[in-house]
Amino acid sequence: MLLESGQVVRSTAGHDQGQLFVAVSVQGAFVWLVNGKTRPLEKPKRKSVKHIRKTNLVLEGSSIATNRKLRQALAAVEGGNQLV
């Protein structure tokens, strides 16, 4: 699975199952995820790529500049059903 920074993903396993996140870093078999609320930009979550499902949506750098903008962007994605 090829992921890039800014890619919107959905968690498929763990206590955060079903939640949307944005990948901020990808290193090997792990990806660091943020959502602006439970996982702010200052404290990303490390998760295996086996436990996420990527979407076709990639957020621009300005959309993930702050936790507030990140939450708003993910809420718009969730509400608009733009997931594949």
Side-chain angles (χ1 to χ4, degrees):
M1 171 185 318
L2 293 174
L3 291 171
E4 58 184 284
S5 184
Q7 181 87 44
V8 177
V9 299
R10 186 175 295 275
S11 173
T12 59
H15 71 277
D16 55 5
Q17 184 176 1
Q19 293 183 21
L20 287 177
F21 290 93
V22 174
V24 291
S25 177
V26 180
Q27 295 181 353
F30 293 99
V31 62
W32 275 259
L33 305 172
V34 296
N35 66 2
K37 187 173 183 178
T38 58
R39 285 298 174 172
L41 291 166
E42 299 80 26
K43 191 176 178 186
K45 175 180 184 61
R46 185 180 88 149
K47 196 161 186 93
S48 172
V49 294
K50 296 186 299 185
H51 298 144
I52 59 171
R53 186 182 75 206
K54 77 175 195 167
T55 66
N56 291 333
L57 185 61
V58 178
L59 296 180
E60 302 279 331
S62 60
S63 297
I64 57 174
T66 65
N67 288 318
R68 183 177 184 171
K69 287 183 179 181
L70 180 60
R71 285 191 308 270
Q72 291 171 345
L74 288 176
V77 169
E78 188 73 46
N81 293 325
Q82 297 178 5
L83 299 178
V84 172

